[in-house]
DNA sequence: GAAGATTGATTCGTCAATCTTC
DNA sequence: GAAGATTGACGAATCAATCTTC
């Protein structure tokens, strides 16, 4: 079944998605910079690294949908702040395995609470837990579909 | 009523929102650069300017949730490409009114079709029209709430 | 003095080139 | 030769400073 266009233009919905995400990001980012002097982008990377317990640079890039070079630089910043460390890959000397340090995990606990506060207010406070659950279901569906369709777009 | 946390952590949902939006943005942006040699950010600004029929720099900034300086530079690029023009504000000589040119409106028609194609495939094709409608409802609610809560966040 | 806008310096991510290792 | 990662140059947005007009 090929997608038909019964629902009217979809650009406005996408515009809303972008604006909502931007506004939420900015709110959380401002809160983190203010309270913990760190950017949300860095905390997000730290979060991913921490919860996987160790990953390669390109795995971080794939998870965040950023480039490998960008991921390398994010890690540079986190290493400089002693929040993660590069450890040698056990079988492949081209790779490093990036792991959260104790300081990184500690900072993550505090920053996660700050982010949770902002998001709970602005997402759950507006949509309610039921609305958040509906949103999450839709996003899960999209996320699953996006993973494989992100390849092979351009010739 | 203060927000309570019955739904579990909300950070993962936000992370999904960011990743889905990023992936969709990148797909549409790549398509536009490839077919029309213009960035999605510029098309988005052109879209907003066009559909309002004329607005000030700070109005564009407020709509897109970007800074005034950033909006000024987006307009610089669009002016350089002859897609919008700055016209004198009728009553306030500090301001300009930014309007889409004929070339801008023409380009917008073509690029909108390209964006619609990408989004129809990746949003509607995955969620269906009903799913898109549900997503749009949730985003509308969030957008309405965000407008007024974006002020007065930091001391 | 405040509001609207522009400009220059900085920051962050992408892209292309490069280096090392497979 | 290909894969993993890093580095420098570039593009785009933020922030602070500045200029003009209210």
């Amino acid at each position: 079944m090929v997608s038909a266009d019964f629902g009217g233009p979809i650009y406005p919905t996408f515009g809303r998605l972008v604006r909502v995400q931007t506004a939420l990001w900015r709110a959380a980012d401002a809160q983190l910079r203010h309270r913990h002097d760190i950017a949300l982008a860095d905390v997000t990377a730290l979060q991913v690294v921490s919860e996987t317990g160790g990953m390669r640079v390109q795995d971080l890039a794939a998870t965040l949908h950023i480039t490998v070079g960008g991921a390398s630089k994010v890690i540079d910043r986190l290493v400089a702040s002693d929040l993660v460390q590069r450890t040698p890959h056990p079988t492949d000397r081209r790779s490093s395995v990036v792991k959260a340090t104790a300081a990184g995990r500690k900072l993550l606990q505090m920053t996660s609470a700050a982010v949770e506060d902002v998001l709970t207010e602005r997402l759950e406070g507006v949509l309610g837990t039921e609305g958040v659950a509906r949103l999450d279901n839709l996003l899960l569906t999209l996320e699953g579909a996006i993973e494989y369709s992100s390849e092979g777009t351009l010739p």
Side-chain angles (χ1 to χ4, degrees), chain A residues 55-56 59 86-97:
Chain A
M55 67 196 317
R56 298 174 303 167
D59 297 326
R86 290 182 169 95
T87 66
H89 191 284
T91 63
D92 190 339
R93 270 184 299 178
R94 295 173 301 179
S95 269
S96 298
V97 175

Side-chain angles (χ1 to χ4, degrees), chain A residues 44-91:
Chain A
T44 302
L46 177 58
Q47 163 90 16
V48 171
V49 168
S50 176
E51 74 185 3
T52 59
M55 67 196 317
R56 298 174 303 167
V57 175
Q58 61 183 303
D59 297 326
L60 179 64
T63 303
L64 297 181
H65 290 282
I66 62 178
T67 61
V68 174
S72 180
K73 293 185 179 182
V74 172
I75 294 171
D76 281 345
R77 292 199 299 272
L78 294 175
V79 168
S81 303
D82 191 39
L83 300 173
V84 306
Q85 58 185 14
R86 290 182 169 95
T87 66
H89 191 284
T91 63

Side-chain angles (χ1 to χ4, degrees), chain A residues 27-140:
Chain A
D29 186 60
Q31 197 68 219
L32 283 178
R33 287 178 191 273
H34 179 242
R35 290 196 188 174
H36 301 285
D37 196 38
I38 189 173
L40 178 55
D42 290 7
V43 170
T44 302
L46 177 58
Q47 163 90 16
V48 171
V49 168
S50 176
E51 74 185 3
T52 59
M55 67 196 317
R56 298 174 303 167
V57 175
Q58 61 183 303
D59 297 326
L60 179 64
T63 303
L64 297 181
H65 290 282
I66 62 178
T67 61
V68 174
S72 180
K73 293 185 179 182
V74 172
I75 294 171
D76 281 345
R77 292 199 299 272
L78 294 175
V79 168
S81 303
D82 191 39
L83 300 173
V84 306
Q85 58 185 14
R86 290 182 169 95
T87 66
H89 191 284
T91 63
D92 190 339
R93 270 184 299 178
R94 295 173 301 179
S95 269
S96 298
V97 175
V98 181
K99 297 184 179 180
T101 64
R105 287 190 294 274
K106 186 179 175 186
L107 178 68
L108 196 54
Q109 284 187 325
M110 298 188 296
T111 55
S112 291
V115 173
E116 285 286 328
D117 285 350
V118 172
L119 295 179
T120 298
E121 175 189 344
R122 304 210 176 207
L123 263 182
E124 209 165 276
V126 172
L127 296 179
T129 48
E130 189 190 340
V132 171
R134 282 204 300 269
L135 177 63
D136 201 46
N137 274 331
L138 292 166
L139 292 175
L140 271 170

